[in-house]
Amino acid sequence: MEQIEALDNELERIGWGRYSYYNFLACGGAWVIGMLWSVGISIILYSADWDLTEYQKGVIGTLSNLGLFVGSYLFGYLGDLVGRVLTFKVVGGVTFLGGVLSVLCADYSMMRVVALVLGVGIGGEIALGGPSYLELCPPSKRWTTVLMSACWVVGGVLAGLLGLLIETAGLTWKYLPGVSLVMQVVVWALRLFLLESPKFLYIKGRIKKCKCTLKKLALANGNSQPEVSLDYGFLLPKQKSSLKKLFSREYLKKTLLFSVLLFLSDLSFSATVLFMPSFLNQLGVVSKGLYSTMVLQMSTGIPGIALASYTVETCLGRKGTVAAGYFLCGLSCGLFMLSNSYLEVLVFSCGIYLFSFTGYSAAYTLVSESYPTEIRSLGVGWTHAWCKFGGLVSPLTVGVLLQNEGGLYISILIVGFCFSVVGVLALLTTETRNRSIA
């Protein structure tokens, strides 16, 4: 622990600079692409002339989340085993493959394969984006991990704008995966110049490489004194990423708690994102512009994340921000269900997005800071795999409900209830504000 704290002190001495902005762009760009593809899938299902039932749309959503489930755990494990950066580059290749397949997609059968492959890639983006950024961040700037969650919103807004362009210009839906694929290549290229986590290198016993990385970081940040002043003292033994340690007595409670918390949060949010076009259509919003409404909804995530980046450093802390965000999200769902006009639908649905992003961005930071370096990527990957297991279950459930009379209101009620339960679970977690992360 003393050596890890010394590393934190060294990162603080090096400070924030040019590389920090680059790291934010590269890791945040991965989340932009992840959300762009996630929302893009729902837009493709709505735009493509395949005459799909709500159940078939649910199958696509389930396959996408199955991929997310696999990718989150697999790449989280590999990130702790072979390194954050190398695994991050491989993840970009998997997502690129899914993008190529989406451009070539011609029917519902092929779309199922596309959803699965893209899901695996997006799962890796989630598991590695946060740790890759956090472990090169000075402790005083760890709150920017919350701010980086705005990249999810940017990806969703871009997808909505592309959907709006397709709708207004009468373009084929193929433009959406085509543009997304170009952006994917650009973001993937940014990873070529990322530095490996010095904490990862240290716990693996690669001390010389760790010092070299810190020097490179200092130079890249414009530090006039790049020499590493770190006194390592005795060396830690080489550490291995271990599922056994993740479920040891020390971490069992928090692992199970985070798994259930994120499972319920994504069970609700995946249903909201995937079926929002159907929700709005059944509420009569289509005549007022479906995609413009979706863009407005997703855009409200930006002030939600800005709010979270402030409140996580106040007396609310990480856990209080998560709890408040999801409680208010559940309330917004109830008001959305009771809406009688387009204005009410717009305001309360925007509330769902605003507060869900407030809660989720703080939750991601809380999870990342709750595990030590040797199992951080695995911990984030495992808990977010269960997060996506919730997303795997919800599309089929909601898809079936929407085909029945009164299914719309039952679906929204379930979503709101699950959001509220997440708020309760957040209060049971351990606060990480102002704590050194091992």
Side-chain angles (χ1 to χ4, degrees):
M1 176 64 77
E2 291 180 1
Q3 288 72 35
I4 296 298
E5 288 180 355
L7 271 170
D8 277 340
N9 292 335
E10 189 64 25
L11 288 170
E12 191 65 51
R13 185 191 70 82
I14 291 171
W16 182 275
R18 291 188 299 269
Y19 180 81
S20 303
Y21 288 107
Y22 179 83
N23 194 28
F24 186 97
L25 183 63
C27 296
W31 290 359
V32 171
I33 292 299
M35 196 63 168
L36 177 61
W37 285 120
S38 295
V39 178
I41 288 174
S42 67
I43 292 175
I44 290 172
L45 294 179
Y46 187 83
S47 303
D49 188 22
W50 293 338
D51 295 323
L52 301 181
T53 65
E54 295 297 337
Y55 179 79
Q56 288 175 312
K57 293 176 184 178
V59 169
I60 295 295
T62 294
L63 288 170
S64 175
N65 282 292
L66 176 61
L68 282 158
F69 180 85
V70 173
S72 293
Y73 173 71
L74 173 64
F75 291 118
Y77 175 79
L78 291 175
D80 283 332
L81 184 67
V82 301
R84 317 304 198 218
V85 172
L86 176 60
T87 310
F88 208 16
K89 292 174 182 176
V90 173
V91 165
V94 175
T95 313
F96 173 77
L97 174 62
V100 171
L101 291 174
S102 70
V103 173
L104 300 175
C105 184
D107 54 30
Y108 171 68
S109 297
M110 189 171 181
M111 190 63 198
R112 289 182 290 186
V113 177
V114 170
L116 184 63
V117 175
L118 276 175
V120 172
I122 297 168
E125 310 284 13
I126 294 171
L128 291 165
S132 298
Y133 176 75
L134 182 67
E135 292 173 8
L136 279 162
C137 219
S140 63
K141 298 291 185 180
R142 273 162 39 189
W143 62 269
T144 57
T145 308
V146 179
L147 195 60
M148 197 171 77
S149 298
C151 295
W152 287 106
V153 182
V154 172
V157 170
L158 285 173
L161 289 173
L162 286 172
L164 183 61
L165 178 64
I166 290 170
E167 181 186 49
T168 55
L171 300 173
T172 173
W173 62 267
K174 291 276 188 177
Y175 276 90
L176 194 153
V179 173
S180 300
L181 184 61
V182 173
M183 294 180 63
Q184 168 70 43
V185 173
V186 173
V187 171
W188 191 15
L190 291 175
R191 299 177 201 183
L192 298 177
F193 306 101
L194 288 177
L195 297 174
E196 184 55 86
S197 161
K199 290 184 178 180
F200 168 80
L201 294 171
Y202 182 67
I203 62 145
K204 292 296 183 181
R206 298 162 64 182
I207 307 303
K208 185 177 180 180
K209 181 69 174 175
C210 175
K211 290 184 176 182
C212 182
T213 297
L214 288 169
K215 289 181 180 179
K216 289 180 180 179
L217 176 62
L219 287 170
N221 273 348
N223 193 311
S224 59
Q225 295 180 325
E227 287 301 318
V228 177
S229 58
L230 192 61
D231 180 11
Y232 287 87
F234 65 87
L235 299 182
L236 288 174
K238 293 184 180 181
Q239 302 288 329
K240 292 184 179 181
S241 179
S242 170
L243 192 62
K244 183 178 180 180
K245 181 168 184 176
L246 188 66
F247 286 96
S248 65
R249 179 176 297 180
E250 183 179 2
Y251 299 107
L252 177 61
K253 179 183 175 182
K254 69 174 61 178
T255 297
L256 294 177
L257 184 58
F258 285 140
S259 297
V260 175
L261 186 153
L262 291 174
F263 169 83
L264 291 175
S265 71
D266 205 60
L267 185 149
S268 302
F269 188 70
S270 287
T272 302
V273 172
L274 183 64
F275 290 105
M276 184 53 73
S278 298
F279 289 162
L280 296 175
N281 198 5
Q282 289 194 34
L283 289 169
V285 178
V286 66
S287 62
K288 297 180 182 292
L290 178 64
Y291 292 118
S292 59
T293 302
M294 291 179 67
V295 169
L296 286 172
Q297 289 172 330
M298 192 62 67
S299 297
T300 57
I302 294 178
I305 290 168
L307 175 64
S309 67
Y310 169 74
T311 56
V312 293
E313 293 296 325
T314 67
C315 59
L316 274 179
R318 275 63 163 160
K319 62 184 284 186
T321 301
V322 177
Y326 281 113
F327 280 137
L328 291 170
C329 197
L331 177 62
S332 297
C333 285
L335 295 172
F336 176 66
M337 182 176 65
L338 299 173
S339 299
N340 293 315
S341 67
Y342 172 70
L343 180 60
E344 290 178 351
V345 167
L346 179 62
V347 170
F348 296 131
S349 63
C350 284
I352 296 173
Y353 280 84
L354 187 151
F355 294 120
S356 63
F357 275 106
T358 298
Y360 180 76
S361 58
Y364 190 96
T365 301
L366 180 63
V367 172
S368 298
E369 293 178 349
S370 294
Y371 290 105
T373 302
E374 63 265 29
I375 59 169
R376 178 168 297 119
S377 184
L378 178 61
V380 172
W382 174 267
T383 54
H384 279 79
W386 278 96
C387 174
K388 294 310 166 186
F389 183 66
L392 187 153
V393 172
S394 68
L396 286 177
T397 306
V398 176
V400 171
L401 288 173
L402 285 175
Q403 295 185 105
N404 299 313
E405 186 177 353
L408 171 67
Y409 298 103
I410 295 174
S411 299
I412 298 173
L413 186 63
I414 292 173
V415 166
F417 175 75
C418 289
F419 277 138
S420 299
V421 172
V422 172
V424 175
L425 294 176
L427 296 175
L428 303 178
T429 61
T430 302
E431 181 57 56
T432 59
R433 184 170 68 97
N434 295 330
R435 291 189 179 185
S436 177
I437 54 173

